[in-house]
Amino acid sequence: MHRHLYIWATKPLPSMKKYILACMVIMLATANSFSQSFMHGVGLNVFVATAPGGKAAVNEGITWSPRFNFIEQDNMSVSVGIPVTVGASFSYSADYNSYYGSSSNSSFSVMINAPLLINLNMGAGATKETERRFGYFIGGGFGYHYGTYNLSDAIYYDNGDYVTAKLNTFGPVGNAGVRFAVGRHTHNVEVRLQYMKGLNDSKANIYGAGAAFNF
């Protein structure tokens, strides 16, 4: 039987609630003061989380990405949004040690990724009125990530069993992607790449890629 040691940077639920509440307040304030249009989409995202001394963890989930355009022109906009992904975090480890023998372990938990992003949007998907067939976006902000991963050197100090650590971290986020108009230009398909650097003790790197359909 494997034993697990759960490592917490902070208590996840209160931190997550405070972060999401702050993001929603910012978005609502922006919407009331400046927004010219609201746009949103749904899709799938895959994240790979790495940390020093840890095995890579794969995270998959469903994303809802609301955004407000607070600056708009015909084929350009500047937006603030929160593409929230909720799904599962999975990490598998296997190793052999001459003293303990073979050891393997898999970890599975809920995953949440919620960045607050300000993006420059050009072409398709920038506004509801644009007639461009192709578009792109780039921007950044600050994000929150919660998941798990296996410590790579745990076999030396936990009687041969791997130790599971929790990722509960905040950090700067960058993202970029392309959009392709479908139908009568009012909808588009989006492909996004994202990177987040954790600022807490885990020093985690969160790499993301996904696709979405924007209404």
Side-chain angles (χ1 to χ4, degrees):
M1 182 178 295
H2 297 294
R3 296 184 300 172
H4 304 277
L5 172 66
Y6 294 96
I7 301 174
W8 300 83
T10 55
K11 292 183 179 180
L13 194 55
S15 297
M16 181 182 68
K17 284 183 176 180
K18 291 178 181 178
Y19 172 76
I20 293 178
L21 178 61
C23 290
M24 293 304 295
V25 168
I26 293 172
M27 286 190 66
L28 289 173
T30 303
N32 291 334
S33 302
F34 304 106
S35 118
Q36 296 186 23
S37 63
F38 170 79
M39 305 178 76
H40 69 117
V42 294
L44 297 174
N45 268 279
V46 177
F47 297 94
V48 176
T50 65
K55 297 287 188 178
V58 177
N59 307 264
E60 300 177 351
I62 298 174
T63 302
W64 178 54
S65 54
R67 85 179 207 239
F68 290 104
N69 292 342
F70 59 90
I71 297 175
E72 283 190 343
Q73 295 181 358
D74 291 341
N75 298 303
M76 184 277 291
S77 69
V78 180
S79 62
V80 57
I82 311 176
V84 179
T85 303
V86 178
S89 175
F90 178 81
S91 180
Y92 177 80
S93 300
D95 209 338
Y96 178 82
N97 180 274
S98 59
Y99 182 79
Y100 293 117
S102 62
S103 178
S104 65
N105 184 49
S106 61
S107 64
F108 181 86
S109 76
V110 172
M111 180 274 298
I112 298 172
N113 187 275
L116 176 66
L117 297 170
I118 296 178
N119 283 333
L120 171 66
N121 309 282
M122 302 293 295
T127 70
K128 294 181 179 180
E129 289 75 28
T130 182
E131 296 183 357
R132 298 289 176 86
R133 300 296 300 180
F134 172 79
Y136 63 92
F137 62 95
I138 187 169
F142 201 79
Y144 171 83
H145 185 88
Y146 176 79
T148 63
Y149 67 103
N150 286 339
L151 298 180
S152 59
D153 57 356
I155 193 169
Y156 297 111
Y157 57 82
D158 193 36
N159 296 325
D161 292 333
Y162 280 90
V163 175
T164 300
K166 294 286 185 180
L167 274 181
N168 180 42
T169 186
F170 294 84
V173 180
N175 81 141
V178 294
R179 298 187 178 108
F180 303 92
V182 296
R184 297 182 178 179
H185 303 274
T186 56
H187 301 150
N188 64 85
V189 175
E190 171 184 301
V191 178
R192 177 193 301 264
L193 297 176
Q194 179 177 309
Y195 171 73
M196 171 182 166
K197 179 61 178 179
L199 296 180
N200 70 336
D201 292 340
S202 70
K203 304 299 181 185
N205 297 291
I206 316 291
Y207 305 91
F213 182 84
N214 294 316
F215 301 99

